[in-house]
Amino acid sequence: MSDTCKFKIDGKEIIAKKGQTILEAAKENGVFIPTLCNFTGVKPKGSCRICSVKINDRFMTSCTTPVAAGMEVESNTEEISDLRKSIIELLFVSGNHFCPSCEKSGNCELQALGYRYQMMVPRFPYSFDKKNVVATGPKLLKDQDRCIKCQRCMKTIKDDEGKRYYAFKNRGRDLEVVMDEEMSKTITDELAKEAMENCPVGSIIYKGVGFSEPIGTRKYDKQPIGSLIETN
Amino acid sequence: MKEKIKAILEKYQIDATRLIDILHEVMDEFGFISAETITLLSNDLRISEAQVKETISFYHFFSDKPRAKYNVFLNNSITSCLRGFEHVKEAFEIESGVKFGNVSEDGLIGLYVTSCIGMNDQGPAAIINDKIFTNLTPYRAKEIIKGIKQGKKVEELIYEANGDGNNAHPLMNTMIINNIRRKSLLLDDNYEKFEVTKNLISKYSPQEIIQIVEESNLRGRGGAGFPTGLKWKFGSKMPGEHRVIICNADEGEPGTFKDRVILTQYNDLVFEGMVIAAYATAADMGVLYLRYEYRYMLEFLNSQLDYMRNNNLLGNSINGIKDFNFDIRIQLGAGAYICGEESALIESMEGKRGEPRDKPPFPVERGYLNYPTIVNNVETLASAVRIIKNGAEWYKTFGTSDSLGTKLLSVSGDCRFPGIYEVEWGVSIKEVLDMAGAENVQAVQVGGPSGTLVNVQDKENHSKTDLMKWYKPSGMMASRKAYDRKISYSDMATGGSIIIFNKSRDILHDVVMNFMDFFIEESCGSCSTCRNLPYIMKQKLLKIINGHGVREDIDDLLNWGKIIKVSRCGLGQTAANPILSSILNFRHLYEEHVKAMTDYDNQFELADSVSAANSFVGRKFIHHNS
Ligand SMILES: Cc1cc2nc3c(=O)[nH]c(=O)nc-3n(C[C@H](O)[C@H](O)[C@H](O)COP(=O)(O)O)c2cc1C
Ligand code: FES
């Protein structure tokens, strides 16, 4: 039995390894599907919903759905593109995302997707309460306005015992990602930098650095998001 | 204190997956979960303090701040509001001198509102120190607070005699009444308890049991309607060191209370259904997940399980069947509607916040602690017992061809006889309204907030615009007289919540807003869509209700309602339904509010907006409106 299978995304034939997710297969075949919460190497938890595709007229998140031979996946249609754009807008209106002053500007995946999907003015009214910047730990600060609750820090930043540095607090609209106060005191430099790197937006900031690269030379200044996958 | 925490931890083998039970014991012992306790738990359970707080802060009935000696949780479901919630709330506040959401300075009284507690047929109701107080009035609220201030025990605050049936059992002692209005094959008292386990199952092989359930066409009664036999068959074939049967008794959809009544009067059937399911699928672990609001039943239910253990109906070699080992424990929830969703329920059972899982894998593949897990509703399991007793052919004589058997409806709202009606599938809305003695009806909410708002005056469902083509609520069959719509899987499938509104009700302001608040409160917050959109849509609705809406706002609501359908679970996917279904069936109410049907968006009233400044400088605003 072969361990590959074929299926289609927007009519294009995709060759995938069995057990792969649609997202992984798409990436290997040069098809870009936007993601925010997904992070290579950790178990996906479809929470941003931006990677949604349509299979048999049903929405599924491509980061969590395994491939199946013969499936027909819709991804880059007008309907789904607008859906993705609306999710980007939704994230923008649910916190104060002030890009011009953000340390991550140019390296921010949310901002980069905003450009890719040509977001102008969000269709939704701004709707966030006052949020805090928590800067009590020695190495890191957490700007709650910018947090999109992707859970990447929660899944990747752990100590040797597997204890998580980051966790959720509350639920619904009051949901926050907070850092463990005790553990924040002793986090290593290396892990603190990793926390900042893994954050898709500018919610986790390594203290004392600010802007290390000038505008114009940052990641998505040079290469629009997704373009590397598409030229593969 | 350290000793006590240690003892609690040891009772649960210092197992972080039992965090919910551990936190309940801490709450019972200390009244809240202190920072010191959190540190102790974190150290021993080997999870960070933030992780302990993650679970605590998710659930309504856990608190890391001191709660009061008497904690009043007043339920704000729609039926409670129809029957004077606001006045009762006010009476509690005035008499106690505390505002809701707070604890009195002396730590005596705490007041909180809480989502539906399953007492819609006798609301407004409140939970005070785990005891249920039904049919509240401002007078009764005041008497309760007076009693508390006089130092009475919570038992002494009871103002009504014990309810009927097992509600009066010494282990329950509650004023709740069953309100069973109509009985059929399930709520039939003419049977011998546990006779299927004692006399029948050994006559069948596990495969034969599954076959009978499949032939009966039994479908899940928790709302989703998945074929039960098929679920058992999948489960029986999944490899795993253990297999788990979970009975879902989280009953949280506003307006349903049938599981409450089944668990009160027919819990033997529910547990026996779990035993049968275990036999059919070779499961060895059983859990009944009981919503916290029903904690008053806990001891009573445990006494039934003890009876079963003592009579070899649970435990090893059940009823002498070799290798048939199965036991049941009760897992108490902690106040979160989303934990009724089966994978969120499993997360909660593992000590975590109740966040639904991505599917696949489904619970039957990988569920509780990754073992194959079959989750069934209370009513489904009880029905299975009747089916094994009397056979699939017998069961098929009830209901309609596509929906066999009976369904328990929980009827509440504006009617003379709220309560439980066991009806055959296929009954029409009109028949249900007649049974319940409902007059002057304007609307019926079928299936709770996530269901459909039916306009009974409507000859036809009229307003399905192009924008709504994609919207397919449960069996939305176009142009059918609303009255004749049927409760069935092919027309209106439902978990059984029926809420009736008469013509005096303000559908948008009182009903739809209440439902939206419910979803906003109960969303787990994980999906970007479900976390943010219900609130934004509610604000838009409010803008319309306040007379600032324009036509385009209605279209916006329809378009945004579509976006939320990409959410992970049923809660998010249906969270816009109150708005969508009211636009579909009550569009005229929106149009009445929308400003002269204009397209021009004027978000504010000049006169109102400058009134503060005007009064400050003593200037009068002159109207030029003619
Ligand atoms: C938000 C949400 C809440 C739910 N609440 C309940 C509930 O309270 N009780 C229940 O039995 N099923 C509930 N369900 C359905 C369960 O996920 C599951 O389908 C059901 O327990 C399976 O049992 P059944 O097949 O016997 O109906 C809920 C689903 C969702 C999406
Ligand atoms: S990337 Fe798939 S849901 Fe976020």
Side-chain angles (χ1 to χ4, degrees):
Chain A
M1 231 172 64
S2 107
D3 55 0
T4 60
C5 65
K6 287 182 190 168
F7 69 100
K8 282 186 178 153
I9 299 181
D10 296 328
K12 178 180 167 166
E13 190 164 89
I14 304 286
I15 299 170
K17 296 188 199 72
K18 282 185 184 153
Q20 259 184 331
T21 62
I22 295 173
L23 178 71
E24 289 165 335
K27 204 170 168 181
E28 285 180 10
N29 285 268
V31 174
F32 174 70
I33 299 176
T35 58
L36 281 168
C37 67
N38 190 61
F39 195 77
T40 312
V42 291
K43 195 173 166 226
K45 175 96 203 179
S47 55
C48 74
R49 316 305 291 172
I50 203 165
C51 70
S52 292
V53 292
K54 233 178 182 178
I55 305 164
N56 281 335
D57 213 30
R58 284 191 59 159
F59 287 112
M60 307 287 283
T61 41
S62 60
C63 67
T64 62
T65 309
V67 297
M71 66 178 13
E72 307 233 345
V73 178
E74 284 175 53
S75 174
N76 206 10
T77 62
E78 201 180 317
E79 180 195 22
I80 297 174
S81 293
D82 187 59
L83 177 82
R84 290 171 181 163
K85 186 173 172 185
S86 71
I87 291 175
I88 297 165
E89 294 173 10
L90 209 46
L91 291 169
F92 266 105
V93 301
S94 58
N96 189 1
H97 293 268
F98 192 63
C99 298
S101 74
C102 179
E103 295 86 335
K104 269 281 189 82
S105 183
N107 292 322
C108 170
E109 294 175 32
L110 181 65
Q111 183 192 40
L113 285 174
Y115 282 125
R116 178 165 176 128
Y117 285 87
Q118 297 178 356
M119 182 186 107
M120 305 299 280
V121 177
R123 70 196 75 182
F124 310 107
Y126 285 94
S127 67
F128 50 86
D129 305 323
K130 193 174 168 345
K131 295 180 184 179
N132 293 326
V133 178
V134 184
T136 46
K139 299 217 167 77
L140 289 166
L141 57 85
K142 181 95 184 48
D143 186 335
Q144 299 299 28
D145 259 319
R146 301 172 185 168
C147 180
I148 57 167
K149 285 92 182 170
C150 68
Q151 313 190 23
R152 283 195 200 173
C153 56
M154 290 165 51
K155 289 189 289 195
T156 55
I157 308 301
K158 298 180 181 173
D159 74 0
D160 302 338
E161 275 191 312
K163 285 187 185 175
R164 290 196 261 125
Y165 282 85
Y166 290 93
F168 271 148
K169 195 178 155 197
N170 303 325
R171 68 184 186 197
R173 249 172 58 80
D174 298 330
L175 185 73
E176 284 185 327
V177 176
V178 295
M179 193 172 191
D180 188 280
E181 243 179 84
E182 274 311 300
M183 291 172 78
S184 76
K185 291 177 188 159
T186 53
I187 190 167
T188 63
D189 236 32
E190 215 183 349
L191 207 53
K193 282 183 182 152
E194 196 182 326
M196 170 161 168
E197 299 263 294
N198 294 359
C199 179
V201 289
S203 180
I204 298 177
I205 295 293
Y206 186 78
K207 283 186 180 177
V209 176
F211 303 88
S212 55
E213 272 172 290
I215 289 176
T217 63
R218 295 175 192 166
K219 191 170 175 190
Y220 301 117
D221 295 340
K222 293 183 270 187
Q223 206 86 54
I225 197 163
S227 56
L228 278 178
I229 291 172
E230 284 162 333
T231 52
N232 238 346
Chain B
M1 167 180 159
K2 269 191 184 155
E3 290 311 305
K4 282 195 174 136
I5 302 284
K6 224 180 171 60
I8 292 171
L9 280 165
E10 267 156 24
K11 183 170 169 193
Y12 296 100
Q13 293 86 42
I14 320 185
D15 178 356
T17 69
R18 300 300 298 272
L19 187 58
I20 302 290
D21 307 79
I22 293 168
L23 294 174
H24 274 310
E25 301 239 0
V26 172
M27 287 294 297
D28 289 348
E29 184 69 41
F30 303 104
F32 76 114
I33 306 154
S34 67
E36 213 183 336
T37 307
I38 291 171
T39 308
L40 291 170
L41 296 180
S42 155
N43 288 341
D44 282 4
L45 297 173
R46 296 174 176 275
I47 52 178
S48 62
E49 290 182 18
Q51 281 172 275
V52 179
K53 289 184 200 161
E54 176 177 279
T55 297
I56 295 172
S57 63
F58 185 81
Y59 295 96
H60 202 63
F61 291 99
F62 290 147
S63 175
D64 61 359
K65 290 180 203 66
R67 283 211 165 139
K69 195 162 169 219
Y70 294 86
N71 294 294
V72 178
F73 289 91
L74 178 63
N75 113 71
N76 65 356
S77 66
I78 181 68
T79 47
S80 172
C81 294
L82 299 181
R83 298 187 53 185
F85 165 82
E86 283 301 332
H87 300 298
V88 172
K89 184 177 171 213
E90 195 184 355
F92 271 123
E93 288 187 334
I94 290 174
E95 195 65 32
S96 65
V98 188
K99 288 274 173 210
F100 268 78
N102 295 290
V103 173
S104 63
E105 257 173 48
D106 57 4
L108 185 67
I109 301 168
L111 300 180
Y112 307 89
V113 287
T114 194
S115 298
C116 184
I117 62 171
M119 303 292 154
N120 309 68
D121 53 335
Q122 44 207 300
I127 307 174
I128 306 176
N129 294 11
D130 297 342
K131 264 214 166 314
I132 310 280
F133 291 76
T134 60
N135 291 319
L136 284 165
T137 59
Y139 177 80
R140 286 173 166 180
K142 284 183 182 165
E143 289 297 299
I144 288 172
I145 297 295
K146 278 185 196 147
I148 291 176
K149 287 185 171 169
Q150 286 160 10
K152 286 187 182 166
K153 292 202 198 99
V154 69
E155 297 79 26
E156 296 166 340
L157 300 171
I158 299 289
Y159 43 76
E160 265 190 46
N162 275 340
D164 53 347
N166 288 331
N167 292 302
H169 190 283
L171 291 177
M172 294 247 267
N173 250 328
T174 169
M175 66 171 84
I176 298 165
I177 41 176
N178 287 329
N179 276 329
I180 299 177
R181 307 280 185 184
R182 196 165 195 278
K183 294 185 178 189
S184 179
L185 64 95
L186 184 59
L187 305 181
D188 174 7
D189 298 305
N190 213 348
Y191 69 106
E192 191 197 325
K193 288 188 178 176
F194 302 110
E195 72 173 312
V196 174
T197 313
K198 283 181 190 158
N199 304 328
L200 270 170
I201 52 173
S202 55
K203 296 202 174 101
Y204 298 112
S205 70
Q207 294 73 19
E208 281 168 337
I209 298 275
I210 292 176
Q211 204 180 340
I212 297 170
V213 176
E214 274 198 295
E215 272 167 24
S216 77
N217 230 334
L218 177 65
R219 295 170 68 168
R221 303 296 194 229
F226 192 84
T228 306
L230 199 58
K231 194 186 276 188
W232 292 11
K233 197 180 201 167
F234 284 151
S236 71
K237 292 188 172 148
M238 286 294 154
E241 199 185 326
H242 295 282
R243 258 186 231 129
V244 190
I245 304 291
I246 294 177
C247 173
N248 186 343
D250 196 52
E251 181 159 70
E253 184 79 43
T256 42
F257 46 88
K258 49 136 188 135
D259 293 343
R260 175 196 96 208
V261 175
I262 300 176
L263 289 170
T264 302
Q265 290 309 122
Y266 303 91
N267 55 54
D268 54 287
L269 287 178
V270 180
F271 292 135
E272 186 165 31
M274 293 176 75
V275 171
I276 294 171
Y279 177 75
T281 59
D284 55 347
M285 295 165 85
V287 181
L288 180 124
Y289 188 98
L290 185 69
R291 68 186 307 215
Y292 184 86
E293 291 80 350
Y294 293 168
R295 189 177 187 174
Y296 68 92
M297 292 186 199
L298 184 61
E299 264 188 89
F300 174 65
L301 293 176
N302 270 322
S303 73
Q304 182 74 273
L305 291 177
D306 282 337
Y307 170 86
M308 290 173 74
R309 285 185 198 108
N310 293 335
N311 288 278
N312 194 218
L313 298 163
L314 281 179
N316 290 338
S317 307
I318 290 175
N319 207 41
I321 302 172
K322 201 168 155 278
D323 294 334
F324 181 23
N325 311 328
F326 178 71
D327 208 332
I328 299 173
R329 75 173 168 91
I330 298 179
Q331 171 74 57
L332 199 58
Y337 162 66
I338 188 58
C339 289
E341 195 283 334
E342 55 190 2
S343 64
L345 182 150
I346 290 168
E347 286 283 299
S348 172
M349 272 176 51
E350 294 179 358
K352 294 177 264 182
R353 60 196 302 276
E355 194 174 306
R357 295 178 177 174
D358 299 292
K359 294 163 197 160
F362 289 89
V364 279
E365 302 163 83
R366 255 174 288 152
Y368 179 54
L369 303 175
N370 278 334
Y371 303 130
T373 302
I374 287 158
V375 184
N376 273 135
N377 174 255
V378 170
E379 186 184 346
T380 314
L381 289 162
S383 302
V385 182
R386 301 299 198 205
I387 290 167
I388 300 301
K389 169 75 175 56
N390 298 299
E393 284 309 313
W394 165 84
Y395 198 69
K396 285 183 184 170
T397 60
F398 298 87
T400 65
S401 56
D402 63 39
S403 315
L404 295 178
T406 61
K407 178 79 193 99
L408 299 202
L409 301 180
S410 312
V411 180
S412 66
D414 295 318
C415 63
R416 278 180 66 197
F417 310 114
I420 299 297
Y421 294 77
E422 183 178 3
V423 297
E424 288 188 38
W425 284 101
V427 70
S428 72
I429 303 274
K430 176 166 182 5
E431 285 169 288
V432 174
L433 294 177
D434 287 347
M435 278 183 231
E439 282 165 13
N440 233 347
V441 179
Q442 177 180 192
V444 186
Q445 182 76 25
V446 179
S450 60
T452 307
L453 185 67
V454 176
N455 184 346
V456 299
Q457 281 134 29
D458 226 349
K459 294 279 179 292
E460 295 178 354
N461 290 316
H462 51 94
S463 61
K464 203 155 175 176
T465 63
D466 272 1
L467 276 175
M468 289 197 95
K469 269 190 194 138
W470 54 273
Y471 177 56
K472 298 175 207 120
S474 151
M476 187 48 78
M477 295 177 69
S479 64
R480 174 94 164 276
K481 264 178 96 174
Y483 248 146
D484 298 330
R485 308 254 338 244
K486 291 191 164 30
I487 307 287
S488 74
Y489 286 108
S490 59
D491 190 357
M492 301 197 90
T494 167
S497 164
I498 306 274
I499 309 174
I500 303 165
F501 304 106
N502 68 26
K503 287 181 183 151
S504 74
R505 307 300 179 183
D506 183 337
I507 295 293
L508 297 192
H509 186 273
D510 297 345
V511 180
V512 180
M513 288 285 283
N514 178 286
F515 289 166
M516 291 311 290
D517 280 334
F518 171 75
F519 287 121
I520 292 167
E521 170 68 30
E522 297 298 335
S523 162
C524 84
S526 174
C527 295
S528 58
T529 40
C530 174
R531 179 173 70 244
N532 297 311
L533 259 178
Y535 178 79
I536 292 175
M537 291 181 74
K538 182 194 138 184
Q539 293 305 102
K540 178 78 93 178
L541 173 62
L542 202 58
K543 177 186 165 199
I544 294 173
I545 289 175
N546 288 339
H548 292 296
V550 294
R551 249 187 317 218
E552 207 172 62
D553 288 320
I554 304 177
D555 294 348
D556 279 348
L557 285 173
L558 291 173
N559 286 323
W560 300 354
K562 186 177 176 183
I563 298 167
I564 203 170
K565 298 279 166 195
V566 300
S567 303
R568 184 188 303 132
C569 81
L571 190 153
Q573 287 158 14
T574 60
N577 281 8
I579 288 179
L580 295 175
S581 132
S582 57
I583 296 181
L584 183 64
N585 293 323
F586 289 86
R587 192 172 177 114
H588 61 282
L589 296 180
Y590 286 82
E591 290 179 346
E592 279 162 19
H593 280 97
V594 169
K595 275 204 153 181
M597 290 303 282
T598 69
D599 292 325
Y600 177 67
D601 187 351
N602 51 345
Q603 299 248 6
F604 65 93
E605 285 289 350
L606 188 59
D608 289 346
S609 305
V610 298
S611 66
N614 279 344
S615 74
F616 192 68
V617 297
R619 188 169 47 208
K620 277 211 175 72
F621 190 87
I622 301 163
H623 275 275
H624 290 293
N625 287 355
S626 49

